[in-house]
Amino acid sequence: MCLSTVYKNKMDPESIAMKNVMSIECKDGLVILTDLMERQVAIEGELEKANLVDGYVIVKERIPA
């Protein structure tokens, strides 16, 4: 089983959006993360990079103008 840590904008401990992510869905400008406990977090933005071997994902967060 491949679980990942998702970061907002950069790989930094203070930028962690969610740990133990088992699924990611991109829909209508949102990146929807679901963890092992089936909790969900939605981030307005887009998927920037996913490295499933190293277990991390970076989401570029959309910043309101």
Side-chain angles (χ1 to χ4, degrees):
M1 181 180 330
C2 290
L3 299 174
S4 295
T5 299
V6 177
Y7 299 88
K8 292 180 183 178
N9 301 315
K10 61 182 176 178
M11 230 174 110
D12 181 355
E14 287 129 28
S15 300
I16 293 174
M18 181 176 259
K19 293 183 177 183
N20 298 316
V21 173
M22 66 174 188
S23 73
I24 301 171
E25 180 181 355
C26 297
K27 185 175 186 180
D28 299 327
L30 295 174
V31 179
I32 303 164
L33 314 171
T34 306
D35 73 2
L36 271 178
M37 303 301 287
E38 299 198 17
R39 294 176 290 216
Q40 290 191 324
V41 170
I43 301 170
E44 195 171 329
E46 61 188 38
L47 187 63
E48 183 172 286
K49 181 177 183 177
N51 186 323
L52 302 181
V53 171
D54 291 333
Y56 72 88
V57 175
I58 299 173
V59 174
K60 184 167 177 95
E61 188 174 27
R62 185 172 295 119
I63 299 171

